[in-house]
Amino acid sequence: VQLQASGGGLVQAGGSLRLSCVASGRTLSTYTMGWFRRVPGKEREFVSTIRSSDGRTDYSDSVKGRVTISRDNAKNTVYLQMNSLKPEDTAVYYCAAGNGHIIISELRRAEAYYYWGQGTEVTVSS
C-alpha cells in the first residue's frame, strides 16, 4: 500500500483544515487507518485512528472534540477534519495503515501500523 497525505498548509488559530490520505496499490477498506504527527525534536504523537473491523474511532486527548476522522472506501481515502486549530497543532501529519483488527490497547501505538505516508505539514499561526 502506498499512502499519499495532503491538505496541510498555513492557517490562523481557530481555523480549519481537512487532511486527506489516498491509498494506491490496495484497498483501504480492510485496514485500520491512523493519523500521527511529529514536531521536530519531539516524539511522534498519535492523533486519531479508525478501525476497519468495526469502525471504532479513537482520538488523543489533545484533539478530542476538535478533530474528526472518517473514511470513504469508494475513494480509497481517509480524512482528518481539524477544527478550532491551535498553534500547538503545528506539526507534520502522517497517515498510516495497519491490520484491520488491531486490538484496542494497540490502536495508539505507531508500531501497530506498517504502511506510512510521506507527511503533510500543518502550521497554525497565533
Side-chain angles (χ1 to χ4, degrees):
V1 176
Q2 294 178 325
L3 304 175
Q4 180 75 36
S6 63
L10 174 64
V11 64
Q12 287 188 331
S16 298
L17 282 173
R18 188 176 78 158
L19 307 185
S20 299
C21 177
V22 180
S24 60
R26 300 281 289 273
T27 178
L28 274 187
S29 62
T30 60
Y31 291 95
T32 293
M33 298 301 299
W35 285 96
F36 292 77
R37 66 188 182 187
R38 175 173 277 166
V39 176
K42 294 189 176 182
E43 293 287 325
R44 182 170 43 191
E45 177 189 16
F46 165 79
V47 177
S48 181
T49 187
I50 182 166
R51 190 165 64 178
S52 66
S53 59
D54 58 1
R56 180 188 182 92
T57 59
D58 191 20
Y59 301 91
S60 68
D61 289 344
S62 61
V63 304
K64 192 173 294 183
R66 301 187 295 118
V67 167
T68 302
I69 190 170
S70 62
R71 64 197 304 161
D72 185 336
N73 290 334
K75 295 183 178 180
N76 232 24
T77 302
V78 174
Y79 302 100
L80 189 72
Q81 177 67 44
M82 302 192 296
N83 301 322
S84 303
L85 283 162
K86 304 175 181 180
E88 51 264 44
D89 294 318
T90 295
V92 178
Y93 285 72
Y94 299 88
C95 61
N99 185 291
H101 299 273
I102 297 175
I103 60 176
I104 293 174
S105 61
E106 295 290 307
L107 282 171
R108 296 188 175 196
R109 295 185 69 243
E111 291 79 4
Y113 301 81
Y114 33 80
Y115 298 111
W116 290 82
Q118 86 293 353
T120 184
E121 188 168 2
V122 172
T123 303
V124 184
S125 63
S126 58

